[in-house]
Amino acid sequence: MKFILGLTGGIGSGKSAASQWFEAQGITVVDADVVAREVVEIGQPALTQMAH
């Protein structure tokens, strides 16, 4: 069975530390902030769509 956990919290609440700990344990971490930045990089289709 697959277990998915969402990690949320305010600034300075320890999200990054928790994510780093999960990664150190070999757990896959998907950081939505990183993904959001990648999607709107120059040349990406999403950026072009949002600009129109």
Side-chain angles (χ1 to χ4, degrees):
M1 183 167 95
K2 190 179 217 179
F3 182 77
I4 298 174
L5 171 76
L7 183 61
T8 66
I11 296 171
S13 64
K15 298 180 302 290
S16 294
S19 291
Q20 290 169 0
W21 184 86
F22 287 133
E23 287 181 327
Q25 306 311 306
I27 298 169
T28 301
V29 172
V30 178
D31 187 325
D33 287 335
V34 172
V35 174
R37 281 191 222 84
E38 291 174 353
V39 168
V40 294
E41 287 179 345
I42 293 174
Q44 293 299 319
L47 180 61
T48 303
Q49 289 294 325
M50 285 187 277
H52 287 75

